[in-house]
Amino acid sequence: SYWYFSGNQTSAHVVNRVNSMLSSADAEALAAVIVAVDPTEGDLEGIGETSKEIRRELGADSPLKVFSILPPPYAANAGFSSTYRNFLTGYVEACKPHAILTDYALCQGETGNTAEEMLAMLVMERRLFATGSRPLYAAVQCSSSGDTLRMPTLYEMRFNVHAALALGAKSIVYKTA
């Protein structure tokens, strides 16, 4: 399956592009619309409105999932005013996502982020979304990116996948930059 990343496009443009894809020969491969990547707390209201507009335009019977890729707790640009837990709760309330997709790079900078932080994030998300109403998807870093991310080792990628699955992830997304 593939996902349509909408970026900063208007909801009307997104729906137009998605409907065009749905009328193509590859329609059955389209599974989701990603509304935003690494939203900040200040973005949540706007992302929520865009998500609602996209769902409304696609129709209630649309099989497409609509959600955003959430920033990890260490994201400096996320601008969390209180706690990561409050950010996640606010995201769900404002955006009503079909799924929770988290991103955590074990290979950030020279020292890297810790496996303990990643596990704590996954445990918190599992507790918050234990009702099963929203599946948890995990993005696994599998490439380097400029000066900020080093190439993960095979062990680090395996750890990330196995930890996410053990803590309830329903899908793994391999992120390549």
Side-chain angles (χ1 to χ4, degrees), residues 77-135:
N77 63 337
F80 303 126
S81 62
S82 52
T83 66
Y84 190 67
R85 179 185 190 89
N86 289 347
F87 169 76
L88 291 175
T89 304
Y91 167 71
V92 170
E93 288 172 5
C95 301
K96 311 281 189 275
H98 289 120
I100 303 298
L101 174 58
T102 59
D103 181 8
Y104 193 96
L106 286 171
C107 305
Q108 185 80 20
E110 289 295 314
T111 58
N113 297 300
T114 66
E116 291 86 0
E117 284 178 342
M118 185 190 77
L119 290 172
M121 179 189 77
L122 289 168
V123 167
M124 178 192 319
E125 290 162 350
R126 182 175 182 188
R127 287 181 182 152
L128 279 172
F129 310 114
T131 62
S133 61
R134 290 177 181 86

CSV table of all heavy atoms in Angstrom, one decimal, residues 77-135:
chain,number,residue,atom,x,y,z
A,77,ASN,N,11.6,21.2,17.9
A,77,ASN,CA,10.7,22.2,17.2
A,77,ASN,C,9.2,21.9,17.5
A,77,ASN,O,8.4,22.6,17.0
A,77,ASN,CB,10.9,22.1,15.7
A,77,ASN,CG,10.6,20.7,15.1
A,77,ASN,OD1,10.6,19.7,15.8
A,77,ASN,ND2,10.3,20.7,13.8
A,78,ALA,N,8.9,20.9,18.3
A,78,ALA,CA,7.6,20.5,18.6
A,78,ALA,C,6.9,21.5,19.5
A,78,ALA,O,5.7,21.7,19.5
A,78,ALA,CB,7.4,19.1,19.2
A,79,GLY,N,7.7,22.2,20.3
A,79,GLY,CA,7.1,23.3,21.2
A,79,GLY,C,6.1,22.8,22.1
A,79,GLY,O,5.0,23.4,22.3
A,80,PHE,N,6.4,21.7,22.8
A,80,PHE,CA,5.4,21.1,23.8
A,80,PHE,C,5.3,22.1,25.0
A,80,PHE,O,6.3,22.5,25.6
A,80,PHE,CB,5.9,19.8,24.3
A,80,PHE,CG,6.1,18.7,23.3
A,80,PHE,CD1,7.3,18.1,23.2
A,80,PHE,CD2,5.1,18.5,22.4
A,80,PHE,CE1,7.5,17.1,22.2
A,80,PHE,CE2,5.2,17.5,21.4
A,80,PHE,CZ,6.4,16.9,21.3
A,81,SER,N,4.1,22.6,25.2
A,81,SER,CA,3.9,23.6,26.3
A,81,SER,C,3.9,22.9,27.7
A,81,SER,O,4.2,23.5,28.7
A,81,SER,CB,2.6,24.4,26.1
A,81,SER,OG,1.5,23.5,26.2
A,82,SER,N,3.5,21.6,27.7
A,82,SER,CA,3.5,21.0,29.0
A,82,SER,C,4.2,19.6,28.9
A,82,SER,O,5.4,19.6,29.0
A,82,SER,CB,2.1,20.8,29.5
A,82,SER,OG,1.3,20.2,28.5
A,83,THR,N,3.5,18.6,28.6
A,83,THR,CA,4.1,17.2,28.5
A,83,THR,C,3.8,16.6,27.2
A,83,THR,O,2.8,17.0,26.5
A,83,THR,CB,3.6,16.3,29.7
A,83,THR,OG1,2.2,16.1,29.5
A,83,THR,CG2,3.9,16.9,31.0
A,84,TYR,N,4.5,15.6,26.9
A,84,TYR,CA,4.3,14.8,25.6
A,84,TYR,C,2.9,14.1,25.7
A,84,TYR,O,2.2,14.1,24.8
A,84,TYR,CB,5.4,13.8,25.4
A,84,TYR,CG,5.3,13.2,24.0
A,84,TYR,CD1,5.6,13.9,22.9
A,84,TYR,CD2,5.1,11.8,23.9
A,84,TYR,CE1,5.5,13.3,21.6
A,84,TYR,CE2,5.0,11.2,22.6
A,84,TYR,CZ,5.2,12.0,21.5
A,84,TYR,OH,5.2,11.4,20.3
A,85,ARG,N,2.6,13.7,26.9
A,85,ARG,CA,1.3,13.0,27.1
A,85,ARG,C,0.2,14.0,26.8
A,85,ARG,O,-0.8,13.6,26.1
A,85,ARG,CB,1.2,12.5,28.6
A,85,ARG,CG,-0.1,11.8,28.9
A,85,ARG,CD,-0.1,11.5,30.4
A,85,ARG,NE,-1.2,10.6,30.7
A,85,ARG,CZ,-1.2,9.3,30.6
A,85,ARG,NH1,-0.1,8.7,30.3
A,85,ARG,NH2,-2.3,8.6,30.9
A,86,ASN,N,0.3,15.2,27.3
A,86,ASN,CA,-0.8,16.2,27.0
A,86,ASN,C,-0.8,16.5,25.5
A,86,ASN,O,-1.9,16.8,24.9
A,86,ASN,CB,-0.5,17.5,27.8
A,86,ASN,CG,-0.8,17.3,29.3
A,86,ASN,OD1,-1.4,16.3,29.7
A,86,ASN,ND2,-0.4,18.2,30.1
A,87,PHE,N,0.3,16.6,24.8
A,87,PHE,CA,0.4,16.8,23.4
A,87,PHE,C,-0.4,15.7,22.7
A,87,PHE,O,-1.2,15.9,21.8
A,87,PHE,CB,1.8,16.9,22.9
A,87,PHE,CG,1.9,16.8,21.4
A,87,PHE,CD1,1.6,18.0,20.6
A,87,PHE,CD2,2.3,15.7,20.7
A,87,PHE,CE1,1.7,17.9,19.3
A,87,PHE,CE2,2.4,15.6,19.3
A,87,PHE,CZ,2.1,16.8,18.6
A,88,LEU,N,-0.1,14.4,23.0
A,88,LEU,CA,-0.8,13.3,22.4
A,88,LEU,C,-2.3,13.4,22.6
A,88,LEU,O,-3.1,13.1,21.7
A,88,LEU,CB,-0.3,12.0,22.9
A,88,LEU,CG,1.2,11.6,22.5
A,88,LEU,CD1,1.6,10.3,23.2
A,88,LEU,CD2,1.3,11.4,21.0
A,89,THR,N,-2.7,13.6,23.8
A,89,THR,CA,-4.1,13.8,24.1
A,89,THR,C,-4.8,14.9,23.3
A,89,THR,O,-5.9,14.7,22.7
A,89,THR,CB,-4.3,14.0,25.6
A,89,THR,OG1,-3.7,12.9,26.3
A,89,THR,CG2,-5.8,14.0,26.0
A,90,GLY,N,-4.1,16.0,23.2
A,90,GLY,CA,-4.6,17.2,22.5
A,90,GLY,C,-4.7,16.8,21.0
A,90,GLY,O,-5.7,17.2,20.3
A,91,TYR,N,-3.7,16.1,20.5
A,91,TYR,CA,-3.7,15.7,19.1
A,91,TYR,C,-5.0,14.8,18.8
A,91,TYR,O,-5.7,15.1,17.8
A,91,TYR,CB,-2.5,14.9,18.7
A,91,TYR,CG,-2.5,14.2,17.4
A,91,TYR,CD1,-2.5,14.9,16.2
A,91,TYR,CD2,-2.6,12.8,17.3
A,91,TYR,CE1,-2.6,14.3,15.0
A,91,TYR,CE2,-2.7,12.2,16.1
A,91,TYR,CZ,-2.7,12.9,14.9
A,91,TYR,OH,-2.8,12.3,13.7
A,92,VAL,N,-5.2,13.9,19.6
A,92,VAL,CA,-6.4,13.0,19.4
A,92,VAL,C,-7.7,13.7,19.5
A,92,VAL,O,-8.6,13.5,18.7
A,92,VAL,CB,-6.3,11.8,20.4
A,92,VAL,CG1,-7.6,11.0,20.3
A,92,VAL,CG2,-5.1,10.9,20.1
A,93,GLU,N,-7.8,14.6,20.5
A,93,GLU,CA,-9.0,15.4,20.6
A,93,GLU,C,-9.3,16.3,19.4
A,93,GLU,O,-10.4,16.4,18.9
A,93,GLU,CB,-9.0,16.2,21.9
A,93,GLU,CG,-9.1,15.4,23.2
A,93,GLU,CD,-8.8,16.2,24.4
A,93,GLU,OE1,-8.7,17.4,24.4
A,93,GLU,OE2,-8.8,15.6,25.5
A,94,ALA,N,-8.2,17.0,18.9
A,94,ALA,CA,-8.4,18.0,17.9
A,94,ALA,C,-8.5,17.3,16.5
A,94,ALA,O,-9.3,17.8,15.7
A,94,ALA,CB,-7.2,18.9,17.8
A,95,CYS,N,-7.7,16.3,16.3
A,95,CYS,CA,-7.6,15.7,14.9
A,95,CYS,C,-8.4,14.4,14.7
A,95,CYS,O,-8.6,14.0,13.5
A,95,CYS,CB,-6.2,15.5,14.6
A,95,CYS,SG,-5.2,17.0,14.7
A,96,LYS,N,-8.9,13.8,15.7
A,96,LYS,CA,-9.6,12.5,15.6
A,96,LYS,C,-9.0,11.6,14.5
A,96,LYS,O,-9.6,11.1,13.6
A,96,LYS,CB,-11.1,12.8,15.1
A,96,LYS,CG,-11.8,13.9,16.0
A,96,LYS,CD,-12.3,13.3,17.3
A,96,LYS,CE,-13.2,14.3,18.0
A,96,LYS,NZ,-12.5,15.3,18.8
A,97,PRO,N,-7.7,11.3,14.7
A,97,PRO,CA,-7.0,10.4,13.7
A,97,PRO,C,-7.5,9.0,13.7
A,97,PRO,O,-8.0,8.5,14.7
A,97,PRO,CB,-5.5,10.5,14.2
A,97,PRO,CG,-5.7,10.6,15.7
A,97,PRO,CD,-6.9,11.5,15.9
A,98,HIS,N,-7.4,8.4,12.5
A,98,HIS,CA,-7.7,7.0,12.4
A,98,HIS,C,-6.6,6.1,13.0
A,98,HIS,O,-6.9,4.9,13.3
A,98,HIS,CB,-7.9,6.6,10.9
A,98,HIS,CG,-9.1,7.2,10.3
A,98,HIS,ND1,-9.1,8.0,9.2
A,98,HIS,CD2,-10.4,7.0,10.6
A,98,HIS,CE1,-10.3,8.3,8.9
A,98,HIS,NE2,-11.2,7.7,9.8
A,99,ALA,N,-5.4,6.6,13.1
A,99,ALA,CA,-4.3,5.8,13.6
A,99,ALA,C,-3.3,6.8,14.3
A,99,ALA,O,-3.3,8.0,14.1
A,99,ALA,CB,-3.6,5.1,12.5
A,100,ILE,N,-2.5,6.2,15.1
A,100,ILE,CA,-1.4,7.0,15.8
A,100,ILE,C,-0.1,6.5,15.1
A,100,ILE,O,0.2,5.3,15.2
A,100,ILE,CB,-1.3,6.7,17.3
A,100,ILE,CG1,-2.7,7.1,18.0
A,100,ILE,CG2,-0.2,7.5,17.9
A,100,ILE,CD1,-3.1,8.5,17.8
A,101,LEU,N,0.6,7.4,14.4
A,101,LEU,CA,1.9,7.0,13.8
A,101,LEU,C,3.0,7.8,14.5
A,101,LEU,O,3.0,9.0,14.4
A,101,LEU,CB,1.9,7.3,12.3
A,101,LEU,CG,3.2,7.1,11.6
A,101,LEU,CD1,3.7,5.7,11.7
A,101,LEU,CD2,3.0,7.5,10.1
A,102,THR,N,3.9,7.1,15.2
A,102,THR,CA,4.9,7.8,15.9
A,102,THR,C,6.3,7.5,15.2
A,102,THR,O,6.5,6.6,14.5
A,102,THR,CB,5.1,7.2,17.3
A,102,THR,OG1,5.3,5.8,17.3
A,102,THR,CG2,3.8,7.5,18.1
A,103,ASP,N,7.2,8.4,15.4
A,103,ASP,CA,8.5,8.4,14.8
A,103,ASP,C,9.5,8.6,15.9
A,103,ASP,O,9.5,9.6,16.7
A,103,ASP,CB,8.5,9.6,13.8
A,103,ASP,CG,9.8,9.7,13.1
A,103,ASP,OD1,10.7,8.7,13.2
A,103,ASP,OD2,10.0,10.7,12.3
A,104,TYR,N,10.4,7.7,16.0
A,104,TYR,CA,11.5,7.8,17.0
A,104,TYR,C,12.8,7.3,16.4
A,104,TYR,O,12.9,6.1,16.0
A,104,TYR,CB,11.2,7.0,18.3
A,104,TYR,CG,12.1,7.4,19.4
A,104,TYR,CD1,11.7,8.3,20.4
A,104,TYR,CD2,13.4,6.8,19.5
A,104,TYR,CE1,12.5,8.7,21.4
A,104,TYR,CE2,14.2,7.2,20.6
A,104,TYR,CZ,13.8,8.1,21.5
A,104,TYR,OH,14.6,8.5,22.5
A,105,ALA,N,13.8,8.2,16.3
A,105,ALA,CA,15.1,7.8,15.7
A,105,ALA,C,16.1,7.5,16.8
A,105,ALA,O,16.4,8.4,17.6
A,105,ALA,CB,15.6,8.9,14.8
A,106,LEU,N,16.5,6.3,16.8
A,106,LEU,CA,17.6,5.9,17.8
A,106,LEU,C,18.9,6.5,17.5
A,106,LEU,O,19.8,6.5,18.3
A,106,LEU,CB,17.7,4.4,17.9
A,106,LEU,CG,16.6,3.7,18.6
A,106,LEU,CD1,16.7,2.2,18.5
A,106,LEU,CD2,16.5,4.0,20.1
A,107,CYS,N,19.1,7.0,16.3
A,107,CYS,CA,20.4,7.5,15.8
A,107,CYS,C,20.5,9.0,15.6
A,107,CYS,O,21.1,9.5,14.7
A,107,CYS,CB,20.6,6.8,14.4
A,107,CYS,SG,20.5,5.0,14.5
A,108,GLN,N,19.9,9.7,16.6
A,108,GLN,CA,19.9,11.2,16.5
A,108,GLN,C,21.3,11.7,17.0
A,108,GLN,O,21.7,11.4,18.1
A,108,GLN,CB,18.8,11.7,17.4
A,108,GLN,CG,18.7,13.2,17.4
A,108,GLN,CD,17.9,13.7,16.2
A,108,GLN,OE1,17.1,12.9,15.6
A,108,GLN,NE2,18.0,14.9,15.8
A,109,GLY,N,22.0,12.4,16.2
A,109,GLY,CA,23.2,13.1,16.6
A,109,GLY,C,24.3,12.1,16.9
A,109,GLY,O,24.3,10.9,16.6
A,110,GLU,N,25.3,12.5,17.6
A,110,GLU,CA,26.5,11.7,18.0
A,110,GLU,C,26.1,10.7,19.0
A,110,GLU,O,26.5,9.5,18.9
A,110,GLU,CB,27.6,12.6,18.5
A,110,GLU,CG,28.3,13.5,17.4
A,110,GLU,CD,29.0,12.6,16.4
A,110,GLU,OE1,29.7,11.7,16.8
A,110,GLU,OE2,28.8,12.9,15.2
A,111,THR,N,25.4,11.1,20.1
A,111,THR,CA,25.2,10.2,21.2
A,111,THR,C,23.9,9.4,21.0
A,111,THR,O,23.7,8.3,21.5
A,111,THR,CB,25.0,10.9,22.5
A,111,THR,OG1,24.0,11.9,22.4
A,111,THR,CG2,26.3,11.7,22.9
A,112,GLY,N,23.0,9.9,20.2
A,112,GLY,CA,21.8,9.1,19.9
A,112,GLY,C,20.8,9.3,21.0
A,112,GLY,O,21.1,9.7,22.1
A,113,ASN,N,19.5,9.0,20.7
A,113,ASN,CA,18.5,9.0,21.7
A,113,ASN,C,18.5,7.6,22.2
A,113,ASN,O,18.9,6.6,21.6
A,113,ASN,CB,17.1,9.3,21.1
A,113,ASN,CG,17.2,10.8,20.5
A,113,ASN,OD1,17.4,11.7,21.2
A,113,ASN,ND2,17.0,10.9,19.2
A,114,THR,N,18.0,7.4,23.4
A,114,THR,CA,18.1,6.2,24.1
A,114,THR,C,17.0,5.2,23.8
A,114,THR,O,15.9,5.7,23.5
A,114,THR,CB,18.3,6.3,25.6
A,114,THR,OG1,17.0,6.9,26.1
A,114,THR,CG2,19.4,7.3,26.0
A,115,ALA,N,17.3,3.9,23.9
A,115,ALA,CA,16.3,2.9,23.7
A,115,ALA,C,15.2,3.1,24.9
A,115,ALA,O,14.1,2.8,24.7
A,115,ALA,CB,16.9,1.5,23.8
A,116,GLU,N,15.7,3.5,26.1
A,116,GLU,CA,14.8,3.7,27.2
A,116,GLU,C,13.8,4.7,26.9
A,116,GLU,O,12.6,4.6,27.2
A,116,GLU,CB,15.6,4.0,28.5
A,116,GLU,CG,16.4,2.9,29.0
A,116,GLU,CD,17.8,2.8,28.4
A,116,GLU,OE1,18.1,3.7,27.5
A,116,GLU,OE2,18.6,1.9,28.8
A,117,GLU,N,14.2,5.8,26.3
A,117,GLU,CA,13.2,6.9,25.9
A,117,GLU,C,12.2,6.4,24.9
A,117,GLU,O,11.0,6.7,25.0
A,117,GLU,CB,14.0,8.1,25.3
A,117,GLU,CG,14.7,9.0,26.3
A,117,GLU,CD,15.4,10.1,25.6
A,117,GLU,OE1,15.7,10.0,24.3
A,117,GLU,OE2,15.8,11.1,26.2
A,118,MET,N,12.7,5.6,23.9
A,118,MET,CA,11.8,5.1,22.9
A,118,MET,C,10.8,4.1,23.5
A,118,MET,O,9.6,4.2,23.2
A,118,MET,CB,12.5,4.3,21.8
A,118,MET,CG,11.6,3.9,20.7
A,118,MET,SD,12.4,2.7,19.5
A,118,MET,CE,12.4,1.2,20.5
A,119,LEU,N,11.2,3.3,24.4
A,119,LEU,CA,10.3,2.3,25.1
A,119,LEU,C,9.3,3.1,25.9
A,119,LEU,O,8.1,2.8,26.0
A,119,LEU,CB,11.1,1.3,25.9
A,119,LEU,CG,11.9,0.3,25.1
A,119,LEU,CD1,12.8,-0.5,26.1
A,119,LEU,CD2,11.0,-0.6,24.3
A,120,ALA,N,9.8,4.1,26.7
A,120,ALA,CA,8.8,4.9,27.5
A,120,ALA,C,7.8,5.6,26.6
A,120,ALA,O,6.6,5.6,27.0
A,120,ALA,CB,9.6,6.0,28.3
A,121,MET,N,8.2,6.1,25.4
A,121,MET,CA,7.2,6.7,24.5
A,121,MET,C,6.2,5.7,24.1
A,121,MET,O,5.0,5.9,24.1
A,121,MET,CB,7.9,7.3,23.3
A,121,MET,CG,7.0,8.0,22.3
A,121,MET,SD,7.8,8.4,20.8
A,121,MET,CE,8.0,6.9,20.0
A,122,LEU,N,6.6,4.5,23.7
A,122,LEU,CA,5.7,3.5,23.2
A,122,LEU,C,4.8,3.0,24.3
A,122,LEU,O,3.6,2.7,24.1
A,122,LEU,CB,6.5,2.3,22.6
A,122,LEU,CG,7.2,2.5,21.3
A,122,LEU,CD1,8.2,1.4,21.0
A,122,LEU,CD2,6.2,2.7,20.2
A,123,VAL,N,5.3,2.8,25.5
A,123,VAL,CA,4.5,2.4,26.6
A,123,VAL,C,3.4,3.5,26.9
A,123,VAL,O,2.2,3.1,27.1
A,123,VAL,CB,5.3,2.1,27.9
A,123,VAL,CG1,4.5,2.0,29.1
A,123,VAL,CG2,6.2,0.9,27.7
A,124,MET,N,3.8,4.8,26.9
A,124,MET,CA,2.8,5.8,27.1
A,124,MET,C,1.7,5.8,26.1
A,124,MET,O,0.5,5.9,26.4
A,124,MET,CB,3.5,7.2,27.1
A,124,MET,CG,2.5,8.4,27.3
A,124,MET,SD,3.3,10.0,27.0
A,124,MET,CE,4.9,9.9,27.6
A,125,GLU,N,2.1,5.6,24.8
A,125,GLU,CA,1.1,5.6,23.7
A,125,GLU,C,0.2,4.4,23.9
A,125,GLU,O,-1.0,4.5,23.6
A,125,GLU,CB,1.9,5.6,22.4
A,125,GLU,CG,2.5,7.0,22.1
A,125,GLU,CD,3.6,6.9,21.1
A,125,GLU,OE1,4.0,5.8,20.6
A,125,GLU,OE2,4.0,8.0,20.7
A,126,ARG,N,0.8,3.3,24.2
A,126,ARG,CA,0.0,2.1,24.4
A,126,ARG,C,-1.1,2.3,25.5
A,126,ARG,O,-2.2,1.9,25.3
A,126,ARG,CB,0.9,0.9,24.7
A,126,ARG,CG,0.0,-0.4,24.8
A,126,ARG,CD,0.9,-1.6,25.1
A,126,ARG,NE,0.1,-2.8,25.1
A,126,ARG,CZ,0.6,-3.9,25.5
A,126,ARG,NH1,1.8,-4.1,25.7
A,126,ARG,NH2,-0.2,-5.0,25.5
A,127,ARG,N,-0.6,2.9,26.6
A,127,ARG,CA,-1.6,3.2,27.7
A,127,ARG,C,-2.7,4.2,27.3
A,127,ARG,O,-3.8,4.0,27.6
A,127,ARG,CB,-0.8,3.7,28.9
A,127,ARG,CG,-0.1,2.6,29.6
A,127,ARG,CD,0.6,3.1,30.8
A,127,ARG,NE,1.4,2.1,31.4
A,127,ARG,CZ,2.5,2.3,32.1
A,127,ARG,NH1,3.0,3.5,32.3
A,127,ARG,NH2,3.2,1.3,32.7
A,128,LEU,N,-2.3,5.2,26.6
A,128,LEU,CA,-3.2,6.2,26.1
A,128,LEU,C,-4.3,5.7,25.1
A,128,LEU,O,-5.4,6.1,25.1
A,128,LEU,CB,-2.5,7.4,25.5
A,128,LEU,CG,-1.9,8.4,26.5
A,128,LEU,CD1,-1.1,9.4,25.7
A,128,LEU,CD2,-3.0,9.1,27.2
A,129,PHE,N,-3.8,4.8,24.3
A,129,PHE,CA,-4.7,4.3,23.2
A,129,PHE,C,-5.0,2.8,23.4
A,129,PHE,O,-5.2,2.1,22.4
A,129,PHE,CB,-4.0,4.6,21.9
A,129,PHE,CG,-3.6,6.0,21.8
A,129,PHE,CD1,-2.2,6.3,21.7
A,129,PHE,CD2,-4.5,7.0,21.8
A,129,PHE,CE1,-1.8,7.7,21.6
A,129,PHE,CE2,-4.1,8.4,21.8
A,129,PHE,CZ,-2.8,8.7,21.7
A,130,ALA,N,-5.0,2.3,24.6
A,130,ALA,CA,-5.2,0.9,24.9
A,130,ALA,C,-6.7,0.5,24.5
A,130,ALA,O,-6.9,-0.7,24.5
A,130,ALA,CB,-5.0,0.6,26.4
A,131,THR,N,-7.5,1.4,24.3
A,131,THR,CA,-8.9,1.0,24.0
A,131,THR,C,-9.0,0.3,22.7
A,131,THR,O,-10.0,-0.3,22.4
A,131,THR,CB,-9.8,2.3,24.0
A,131,THR,OG1,-9.3,3.1,22.9
A,131,THR,CG2,-9.8,3.0,25.3
A,132,GLY,N,-8.0,0.4,21.8
A,132,GLY,CA,-8.0,-0.2,20.5
A,132,GLY,C,-8.8,0.6,19.5
A,132,GLY,O,-8.9,0.1,18.4
A,133,SER,N,-9.2,1.8,19.8
A,133,SER,CA,-10.0,2.5,18.9
A,133,SER,C,-9.1,3.1,17.8
A,133,SER,O,-9.6,3.4,16.7
A,133,SER,CB,-10.7,3.7,19.6
A,133,SER,OG,-9.8,4.5,20.2
A,134,ARG,N,-7.8,3.2,18.1
A,134,ARG,CA,-6.8,3.7,17.1
A,134,ARG,C,-5.6,2.8,17.1
A,134,ARG,O,-4.9,2.7,18.1
A,134,ARG,CB,-6.4,5.1,17.4
A,134,ARG,CG,-7.5,6.1,17.2
A,134,ARG,CD,-7.1,7.5,17.7
A,134,ARG,NE,-8.2,8.4,17.5
A,134,ARG,CZ,-9.1,8.6,18.4
A,134,ARG,NH1,-9.1,8.0,19.5
A,134,ARG,NH2,-10.1,9.4,18.2
A,135,PRO,N,-5.3,2.2,15.9
A,135,PRO,CA,-4.1,1.4,15.9
A,135,PRO,C,-2.8,2.3,16.0
A,135,PRO,O,-2.8,3.4,15.6
A,135,PRO,CB,-4.2,0.7,14.5
A,135,PRO,CG,-5.1,1.6,13.7
A,135,PRO,CD,-6.0,2.2,14.7
